[in-house]
Amino acid sequence: MALIVKGLCKKYEQQVAVDDLSFTIEKGAVVGFLGPNGAGKSTTLKMIAGFLTPDAGEVILNDISNQKDPIAFKKLIGYLPEANPLYDEMYVKEYFSFLAEMHKIASSNQRIQEVIALTGLTPMQQKKIGELSKGYKQRVGIAAAIMHKPALILLDEPTSGLDPNQLTEIRALIQNLSKDAIVLFSTHILQEVSAICSSVVVIHQSKLVANTNIEDLLKPAQPAVRVVFDEEITAYLSDAFFTSFKFEQVDKRVLVVKTNNIQQVKKSILNFALDKGLNIQSLQTQEASLEEIFKLLTH
């Protein structure tokens, strides 16, 4: 089972929202869909879900094309849009019964209880949706998206506005969902991607700029050594020692030295400090972060 996105394009008058976007995701993957505001993430998710017709391109899921058989294709999709539209006056369990009937789910009561347990909504099932906290409303939205056991789950900013406890719970839920489906979710919270994703798709100015697993994404970045001195070292930066390195002065006491030879640079910094009578508070290897890579890709 795989999701294949081929050459998706979408324009609004003269504005290009999505430009020839292509990528493939295999079953069992949790993929972070990243990009700055206006990059085309929500537009892409709407086209994959079938809510928006692309100007060109095709989406294929389980060998079913959204162009050739749109009804069968949409039956395989579970979608939580950013706005999370819910019926506030309906009770949680009542809403799920309505969804089960719409999807014509056999043994609907059993499936409703499965989804309620899976999303941690057992204590809330007899409450009105409008009475729930934002975290529980997000759970209701995710439950609605998975009620019919979709092959692909699309989540648009599912953790936006949640507190730390809610974030942890939703993370665990998203990871659990990937056991039986492909999960593609957009987010601005890069820590979420690091915590739960195996790979990322990054778009910028409507174009694809990265489609890889997180480990490979970080490999090209040059590691660095972060050194914190006990005293101000600005006066020493003109020394010949520093002219041989590429470095950044973070503040008056902190330097980050870019290098491909970590051990040699650490040794050189220690010798320099000893020669100048400087005390070092800490000396650490600093790996490239996902935030830094994201800035490089979308600058």
Side-chain angles (χ1 to χ4, degrees):
M1 180 177 76
L3 169 68
I4 302 171
V5 175
K6 298 197 299 184
L8 278 189
C9 298
K10 187 65 180 178
K11 287 180 66 175
Y12 296 102
E13 296 181 353
Q14 300 304 312
Q15 178 68 37
V16 178
V18 177
D19 188 2
D20 195 24
L21 189 61
S22 298
F23 57 86
T24 299
I25 304 174
E26 301 293 336
K27 180 183 177 181
V30 180
V31 178
F33 192 33
L34 307 177
N37 287 332
K41 300 189 301 297
S42 292
T43 300
T44 300
L45 291 180
K46 288 175 183 177
M47 287 193 288
I48 294 173
F51 287 105
L52 193 61
T53 302
D55 297 328
E58 185 179 26
V59 182
I60 299 171
L61 180 61
N62 289 3
D63 298 322
I64 298 175
S65 167
N66 68 333
Q67 301 289 325
K68 298 174 183 176
D69 196 348
I71 301 300
F73 180 87
K74 288 177 183 177
K75 288 180 179 179
L76 300 175
I77 303 291
Y79 179 41
L80 173 64
E82 185 177 5
N84 191 12
L86 297 170
Y87 295 104
D88 284 348
E89 294 304 312
M90 294 183 76
Y91 293 91
V92 172
K93 194 171 181 180
E94 177 190 14
Y95 177 53
F96 292 160
S97 296
F98 165 70
L99 292 174
E101 183 179 348
M102 293 293 291
H103 286 295
K104 299 180 180 179
I105 296 174
S107 305
S108 60
N109 287 333
Q110 179 182 344
R111 179 56 182 165
I112 289 168
Q113 289 306 316
E114 288 174 355
V115 169
I116 286 174
L118 181 63
T119 53
L121 285 166
T122 301
M124 302 294 160
Q125 60 183 310
Q126 302 302 333
K127 285 191 174 184
K128 283 188 175 183
I129 293 172
E131 297 172 351
L132 302 180
S133 67
K134 182 166 184 177
Y136 276 115
K137 284 183 178 179
Q138 289 295 86
R139 291 171 187 254
V140 172
I142 293 173
I146 66 172
M147 181 64 66
H148 55 302
K149 297 183 179 180
L152 171 64
I153 301 168
L154 303 172
L155 307 174
D156 196 352
E157 301 285 350
T159 59
S160 177
L162 302 186
D163 66 37
N165 291 331
Q166 294 168 336
L167 283 173
T168 300
E169 294 164 353
I170 296 297
R171 277 182 193 170
L173 174 57
I174 291 173
Q175 285 181 309
N176 195 27
L177 294 175
S178 69
K179 294 176 182 178
D180 302 307
I182 296 168
V183 179
L184 176 63
F185 78 99
S186 72
T187 181
H188 286 101
I189 306 172
L190 297 183
Q191 294 92 331
E192 294 300 295
V193 176
S194 300
I196 65 178
C197 292
S198 54
S199 59
V200 293
V201 172
V202 186
I203 61 175
H204 178 48
Q205 294 180 347
S206 76
K207 293 180 179 291
L208 180 74
V209 293
N211 176 23
T212 184
N213 63 60
I214 291 178
E215 288 182 2
D216 288 343
L217 185 70
L218 296 176
K219 279 180 183 177
Q222 189 177 30
V225 173
R226 180 184 177 90
V227 55
V228 181
F229 294 90
D230 275 345
E231 57 262 72
E232 184 177 339
I233 46 86
T234 304
Y236 296 93
L237 297 183
S238 59
D239 191 280
F241 170 80
F242 287 106
T243 62
S244 60
F245 296 108
K246 180 181 178 182
F247 68 91
E248 174 188 357
Q249 185 177 12
V250 179
D251 64 26
K252 293 179 180 180
R253 299 186 303 114
V254 182
L255 294 180
V256 175
V257 182
K258 302 288 185 179
T259 178
N260 290 317
N261 193 335
I262 295 292
Q263 295 307 317
Q264 181 59 47
V265 167
K266 283 184 176 181
K267 184 178 178 180
S268 297
I269 290 172
L270 288 170
N271 288 335
F272 173 79
L274 184 63
D275 181 58
K276 300 296 183 182
L278 298 171
N279 294 317
I280 293 177
Q281 191 177 101
S282 67
L283 183 63
Q284 299 175 318
T285 301
Q286 180 174 287
E287 300 293 341
S289 67
L290 188 59
E291 286 84 354
E292 291 174 324
I293 301 299
F294 181 79
K295 288 177 183 177
L296 288 173
L297 290 171
T298 60
H299 191 271

mmCIF file of all heavy atoms in Angstrom, residues 92-94 96-97 100 105-126 143 146-147 149:
data_model
loop_
_atom_site.group_PDB
_atom_site.id
_atom_site.type_symbol
_atom_site.label_atom_id
_atom_site.label_comp_id
_atom_site.label_asym_id
_atom_site.label_seq_id
_atom_site.Cartn_x
_atom_site.Cartn_y
_atom_site.Cartn_z
ATOM 1 N N VAL A 92 -21.021 13.504 21.961
ATOM 2 C CA VAL A 92 -19.896 12.822 21.312
ATOM 3 C C VAL A 92 -20.328 11.488 20.721
ATOM 4 O O VAL A 92 -20.099 11.214 19.534
ATOM 5 C CB VAL A 92 -18.737 12.617 22.319
ATOM 6 C CG1 VAL A 92 -17.650 11.736 21.718
ATOM 7 C CG2 VAL A 92 -18.147 13.960 22.745
ATOM 8 N N LYS A 93 -20.956 10.662 21.512
ATOM 9 C CA LYS A 93 -21.359 9.334 21.030
ATOM 10 C C LYS A 93 -22.425 9.448 19.940
ATOM 11 O O LYS A 93 -22.443 8.671 18.979
ATOM 12 C CB LYS A 93 -21.868 8.483 22.183
ATOM 13 C CG LYS A 93 -21.991 7.003 21.837
ATOM 14 C CD LYS A 93 -22.283 6.166 23.054
ATOM 15 C CE LYS A 93 -22.370 4.688 22.679
ATOM 16 N NZ LYS A 93 -22.666 3.856 23.856
ATOM 17 N N GLU A 94 -23.303 10.422 20.082
ATOM 18 C CA GLU A 94 -24.330 10.664 19.061
ATOM 19 C C GLU A 94 -23.679 11.037 17.728
ATOM 20 O O GLU A 94 -24.083 10.559 16.661
ATOM 21 C CB GLU A 94 -25.253 11.783 19.541
ATOM 22 C CG GLU A 94 -26.325 12.198 18.537
ATOM 23 C CD GLU A 94 -27.057 13.463 18.952
ATOM 24 O OE1 GLU A 94 -26.580 14.174 19.874
ATOM 25 O OE2 GLU A 94 -28.103 13.763 18.324
ATOM 26 N N PHE A 96 -20.687 10.225 16.716
ATOM 27 C CA PHE A 96 -20.035 9.051 16.144
ATOM 28 C C PHE A 96 -21.053 8.082 15.521
ATOM 29 O O PHE A 96 -20.768 7.443 14.505
ATOM 30 C CB PHE A 96 -19.212 8.328 17.210
ATOM 31 C CG PHE A 96 -18.009 9.116 17.671
ATOM 32 C CD1 PHE A 96 -17.407 8.835 18.882
ATOM 33 C CD2 PHE A 96 -17.475 10.137 16.898
ATOM 34 C CE1 PHE A 96 -16.291 9.553 19.305
ATOM 35 C CE2 PHE A 96 -16.371 10.871 17.313
ATOM 36 C CZ PHE A 96 -15.784 10.572 18.527
ATOM 37 N N SER A 97 -22.219 7.985 16.124
ATOM 38 C CA SER A 97 -23.277 7.148 15.539
ATOM 39 C C SER A 97 -23.713 7.700 14.183
ATOM 40 O O SER A 97 -23.949 6.947 13.229
ATOM 41 C CB SER A 97 -24.480 7.087 16.488
ATOM 42 O OG SER A 97 -24.140 6.453 17.691
ATOM 43 N N ALA A 100 -20.972 6.825 11.709
ATOM 44 C CA ALA A 100 -21.002 5.395 11.376
ATOM 45 C C ALA A 100 -22.119 5.086 10.392
ATOM 46 O O ALA A 100 -21.952 4.282 9.469
ATOM 47 C CB ALA A 100 -21.166 4.572 12.645
ATOM 48 N N ILE A 105 -21.139 1.659 8.237
ATOM 49 C CA ILE A 105 -20.237 0.741 8.920
ATOM 50 C C ILE A 105 -21.019 -0.394 9.548
ATOM 51 O O ILE A 105 -21.961 -0.179 10.319
ATOM 52 C CB ILE A 105 -19.426 1.484 10.000
ATOM 53 C CG1 ILE A 105 -18.518 2.530 9.347
ATOM 54 C CG2 ILE A 105 -18.609 0.511 10.856
ATOM 55 C CD1 ILE A 105 -17.796 3.419 10.330
ATOM 56 N N ALA A 106 -20.633 -1.631 9.216
ATOM 57 C CA ALA A 106 -21.237 -2.810 9.839
ATOM 58 C C ALA A 106 -20.746 -2.905 11.288
ATOM 59 O O ALA A 106 -19.628 -2.492 11.599
ATOM 60 C CB ALA A 106 -20.860 -4.069 9.066
ATOM 61 N N SER A 107 -21.577 -3.461 12.173
ATOM 62 C CA SER A 107 -21.231 -3.554 13.602
ATOM 63 C C SER A 107 -20.789 -2.188 14.123
ATOM 64 O O SER A 107 -19.732 -2.041 14.737
ATOM 65 C CB SER A 107 -20.122 -4.599 13.832
ATOM 66 O OG SER A 107 -20.469 -5.848 13.299
ATOM 67 N N SER A 108 -21.630 -1.193 13.862
ATOM 68 C CA SER A 108 -21.247 0.190 14.151
ATOM 69 C C SER A 108 -21.006 0.440 15.636
ATOM 70 O O SER A 108 -20.086 1.182 15.997
ATOM 71 C CB SER A 108 -22.306 1.146 13.619
ATOM 72 O OG SER A 108 -23.562 0.894 14.222
ATOM 73 N N ASN A 109 -21.810 -0.164 16.516
ATOM 74 C CA ASN A 109 -21.627 0.052 17.953
ATOM 75 C C ASN A 109 -20.249 -0.406 18.409
ATOM 76 O O ASN A 109 -19.593 0.248 19.223
ATOM 77 C CB ASN A 109 -22.716 -0.668 18.755
ATOM 78 C CG ASN A 109 -24.070 0.022 18.628
ATOM 79 O OD1 ASN A 109 -24.132 1.234 18.402
ATOM 80 N ND2 ASN A 109 -25.137 -0.739 18.775
ATOM 81 N N GLN A 110 -19.819 -1.550 17.882
ATOM 82 C CA GLN A 110 -18.498 -2.059 18.233
ATOM 83 C C GLN A 110 -17.398 -1.111 17.753
ATOM 84 O O GLN A 110 -16.459 -0.810 18.489
ATOM 85 C CB GLN A 110 -18.285 -3.447 17.629
ATOM 86 C CG GLN A 110 -16.912 -4.038 17.922
ATOM 87 C CD GLN A 110 -16.723 -5.389 17.261
ATOM 88 O OE1 GLN A 110 -17.673 -6.035 16.829
ATOM 89 N NE2 GLN A 110 -15.473 -5.835 17.179
ATOM 90 N N ARG A 111 -17.534 -0.636 16.522
ATOM 91 C CA ARG A 111 -16.524 0.268 15.974
ATOM 92 C C ARG A 111 -16.501 1.587 16.732
ATOM 93 O O ARG A 111 -15.419 2.151 16.991
ATOM 94 C CB ARG A 111 -16.785 0.522 14.486
ATOM 95 C CG ARG A 111 -15.795 1.474 13.831
ATOM 96 C CD ARG A 111 -14.365 0.998 13.999
ATOM 97 N NE ARG A 111 -13.392 1.943 13.417
ATOM 98 C CZ ARG A 111 -12.091 1.911 13.667
ATOM 99 N NH1 ARG A 111 -11.592 1.009 14.504
ATOM 100 N NH2 ARG A 111 -11.273 2.781 13.099
ATOM 101 N N ILE A 112 -17.663 2.108 17.104
ATOM 102 C CA ILE A 112 -17.733 3.356 17.862
ATOM 103 C C ILE A 112 -16.989 3.209 19.189
ATOM 104 O O ILE A 112 -16.211 4.085 19.577
ATOM 105 C CB ILE A 112 -19.195 3.771 18.096
ATOM 106 C CG1 ILE A 112 -19.816 4.239 16.777
ATOM 107 C CG2 ILE A 112 -19.286 4.880 19.148
ATOM 108 C CD1 ILE A 112 -21.320 4.386 16.840
ATOM 109 N N GLN A 113 -17.194 2.106 19.884
ATOM 110 C CA GLN A 113 -16.510 1.895 21.154
ATOM 111 C C GLN A 113 -15.005 1.733 20.961
ATOM 112 O O GLN A 113 -14.204 2.196 21.793
ATOM 113 C CB GLN A 113 -17.096 0.664 21.871
ATOM 114 C CG GLN A 113 -18.501 0.873 22.417
ATOM 115 C CD GLN A 113 -18.597 2.099 23.329
ATOM 116 O OE1 GLN A 113 -17.731 2.338 24.181
ATOM 117 N NE2 GLN A 113 -19.651 2.889 23.149
ATOM 118 N N GLU A 114 -14.603 1.094 19.872
ATOM 119 C CA GLU A 114 -13.173 0.960 19.567
ATOM 120 C C GLU A 114 -12.530 2.328 19.389
ATOM 121 O O GLU A 114 -11.455 2.598 19.929
ATOM 122 C CB GLU A 114 -12.978 0.133 18.294
ATOM 123 C CG GLU A 114 -13.254 -1.343 18.441
ATOM 124 C CD GLU A 114 -13.170 -2.078 17.108
ATOM 125 O OE1 GLU A 114 -12.989 -1.406 16.067
ATOM 126 O OE2 GLU A 114 -13.296 -3.321 17.102
ATOM 127 N N VAL A 115 -13.199 3.190 18.620
ATOM 128 C CA VAL A 115 -12.660 4.513 18.330
ATOM 129 C C VAL A 115 -12.644 5.378 19.593
ATOM 130 O O VAL A 115 -11.684 6.114 19.846
ATOM 131 C CB VAL A 115 -13.462 5.192 17.211
ATOM 132 C CG1 VAL A 115 -13.076 6.661 17.080
ATOM 133 C CG2 VAL A 115 -13.234 4.480 15.890
ATOM 134 N N ILE A 116 -13.684 5.303 20.383
ATOM 135 C CA ILE A 116 -13.743 6.058 21.640
ATOM 136 C C ILE A 116 -12.590 5.660 22.553
ATOM 137 O O ILE A 116 -11.910 6.512 23.142
ATOM 138 C CB ILE A 116 -15.100 5.835 22.343
ATOM 139 C CG1 ILE A 116 -16.212 6.599 21.600
ATOM 140 C CG2 ILE A 116 -15.042 6.287 23.805
ATOM 141 C CD1 ILE A 116 -17.604 6.322 22.121
ATOM 142 N N ALA A 117 -12.336 4.352 22.669
ATOM 143 C CA ALA A 117 -11.235 3.870 23.515
ATOM 144 C C ALA A 117 -9.884 4.296 22.948
ATOM 145 O O ALA A 117 -8.992 4.739 23.682
ATOM 146 C CB ALA A 117 -11.312 2.355 23.657
ATOM 147 N N LEU A 118 -9.740 4.169 21.632
ATOM 148 C CA LEU A 118 -8.469 4.488 20.978
ATOM 149 C C LEU A 118 -8.093 5.951 21.144
ATOM 150 O O LEU A 118 -6.921 6.287 21.344
ATOM 151 C CB LEU A 118 -8.555 4.138 19.488
ATOM 152 C CG LEU A 118 -7.309 4.389 18.636
ATOM 153 C CD1 LEU A 118 -6.144 3.519 19.111
ATOM 154 C CD2 LEU A 118 -7.597 4.118 17.172
ATOM 155 N N THR A 119 -9.076 6.829 21.082
ATOM 156 C CA THR A 119 -8.817 8.272 21.159
ATOM 157 C C THR A 119 -8.957 8.836 22.574
ATOM 158 O O THR A 119 -8.851 10.049 22.767
ATOM 159 C CB THR A 119 -9.773 9.034 20.219
ATOM 160 O OG1 THR A 119 -11.128 8.648 20.511
ATOM 161 C CG2 THR A 119 -9.465 8.722 18.768
ATOM 162 N N GLY A 120 -9.188 7.964 23.564
ATOM 163 C CA GLY A 120 -9.255 8.412 24.953
ATOM 164 C C GLY A 120 -10.457 9.270 25.271
ATOM 165 O O GLY A 120 -10.388 10.165 26.117
ATOM 166 N N LEU A 121 -11.577 8.978 24.610
ATOM 167 C CA LEU A 121 -12.778 9.797 24.792
ATOM 168 C C LEU A 121 -13.831 9.140 25.683
ATOM 169 O O LEU A 121 -14.951 9.648 25.790
ATOM 170 C CB LEU A 121 -13.394 10.114 23.424
ATOM 171 C CG LEU A 121 -12.652 11.165 22.600
ATOM 172 C CD1 LEU A 121 -13.123 11.146 21.150
ATOM 173 C CD2 LEU A 121 -12.829 12.557 23.201
ATOM 174 N N THR A 122 -13.484 8.041 26.343
ATOM 175 C CA THR A 122 -14.463 7.318 27.160
ATOM 176 C C THR A 122 -15.149 8.210 28.195
ATOM 177 O O THR A 122 -16.382 8.199 28.294
ATOM 178 C CB THR A 122 -13.794 6.112 27.850
ATOM 179 O OG1 THR A 122 -13.256 5.243 26.845
ATOM 180 C CG2 THR A 122 -14.809 5.339 28.690
ATOM 181 N N PRO A 123 -14.414 9.027 28.956
ATOM 182 C CA PRO A 123 -15.106 9.855 29.952
ATOM 183 C C PRO A 123 -15.905 11.013 29.366
ATOM 184 O O PRO A 123 -16.673 11.675 30.081
ATOM 185 C CB PRO A 123 -13.964 10.385 30.830
ATOM 186 C CG PRO A 123 -12.763 10.352 29.960
ATOM 187 C CD PRO A 123 -12.948 9.183 29.051
ATOM 188 N N MET A 124 -15.758 11.264 28.064
ATOM 189 C CA MET A 124 -16.415 12.403 27.432
ATOM 190 C C MET A 124 -17.543 12.012 26.487
ATOM 191 O O MET A 124 -18.176 12.887 25.898
ATOM 192 C CB MET A 124 -15.375 13.231 26.640
ATOM 193 C CG MET A 124 -14.231 13.741 27.467
ATOM 194 S SD MET A 124 -14.804 14.959 28.679
ATOM 195 C CE MET A 124 -13.450 14.918 29.860
ATOM 196 N N GLN A 125 -17.808 10.732 26.335
ATOM 197 C CA GLN A 125 -18.722 10.296 25.283
ATOM 198 C C GLN A 125 -20.161 10.738 25.497
ATOM 199 O O GLN A 125 -20.938 10.805 24.544
ATOM 200 C CB GLN A 125 -18.652 8.777 25.134
ATOM 201 C CG GLN A 125 -19.029 7.986 26.380
ATOM 202 C CD GLN A 125 -18.861 6.491 26.159
ATOM 203 O OE1 GLN A 125 -19.338 5.938 25.169
ATOM 204 N NE2 GLN A 125 -18.160 5.836 27.064
ATOM 205 N N GLN A 126 -20.545 11.059 26.732
ATOM 206 C CA GLN A 126 -21.905 11.502 27.002
ATOM 207 C C GLN A 126 -22.021 13.029 27.090
ATOM 208 O O GLN A 126 -23.072 13.556 27.427
ATOM 209 C CB GLN A 126 -22.412 10.883 28.310
ATOM 210 C CG GLN A 126 -22.406 9.362 28.332
ATOM 211 C CD GLN A 126 -23.245 8.743 27.229
ATOM 212 O OE1 GLN A 126 -24.206 9.349 26.738
ATOM 213 N NE2 GLN A 126 -22.895 7.524 26.827
ATOM 214 N N ALA A 143 -10.968 11.131 15.776
ATOM 215 C CA ALA A 143 -11.863 9.971 15.808
ATOM 216 C C ALA A 143 -12.779 9.954 14.588
ATOM 217 O O ALA A 143 -13.027 8.907 13.988
ATOM 218 C CB ALA A 143 -12.684 9.992 17.099
ATOM 219 N N ILE A 146 -10.958 8.671 11.519
ATOM 220 C CA ILE A 146 -10.558 7.259 11.455
ATOM 221 C C ILE A 146 -11.726 6.286 11.627
ATOM 222 O O ILE A 146 -11.513 5.078 11.614
ATOM 223 C CB ILE A 146 -9.483 6.945 12.517
ATOM 224 C CG1 ILE A 146 -10.065 7.085 13.930
ATOM 225 C CG2 ILE A 146 -8.278 7.852 12.341
ATOM 226 C CD1 ILE A 146 -9.122 6.618 15.026
ATOM 227 N N MET A 147 -12.944 6.807 11.775
ATOM 228 C CA MET A 147 -14.103 5.961 12.061
ATOM 229 C C MET A 147 -14.244 4.822 11.055
ATOM 230 O O MET A 147 -14.569 3.683 11.408
ATOM 231 C CB MET A 147 -15.369 6.819 12.082
ATOM 232 C CG MET A 147 -16.648 6.049 12.391
ATOM 233 S SD MET A 147 -16.683 5.318 14.034
ATOM 234 C CE MET A 147 -16.719 6.781 15.070
ATOM 235 N N LYS A 149 -11.936 3.354 9.220
ATOM 236 C CA LYS A 149 -10.660 2.657 9.024
ATOM 237 C C LYS A 149 -10.010 3.022 7.684
ATOM 238 O O LYS A 149 -9.776 2.165 6.830
ATOM 239 C CB LYS A 149 -10.855 1.138 9.111
ATOM 240 C CG LYS A 149 -11.336 0.655 10.466
ATOM 241 C CD LYS A 149 -11.446 -0.872 10.508
ATOM 242 C CE LYS A 149 -11.906 -1.343 11.879
ATOM 243 N NZ LYS A 149 -12.015 -2.829 11.939
#
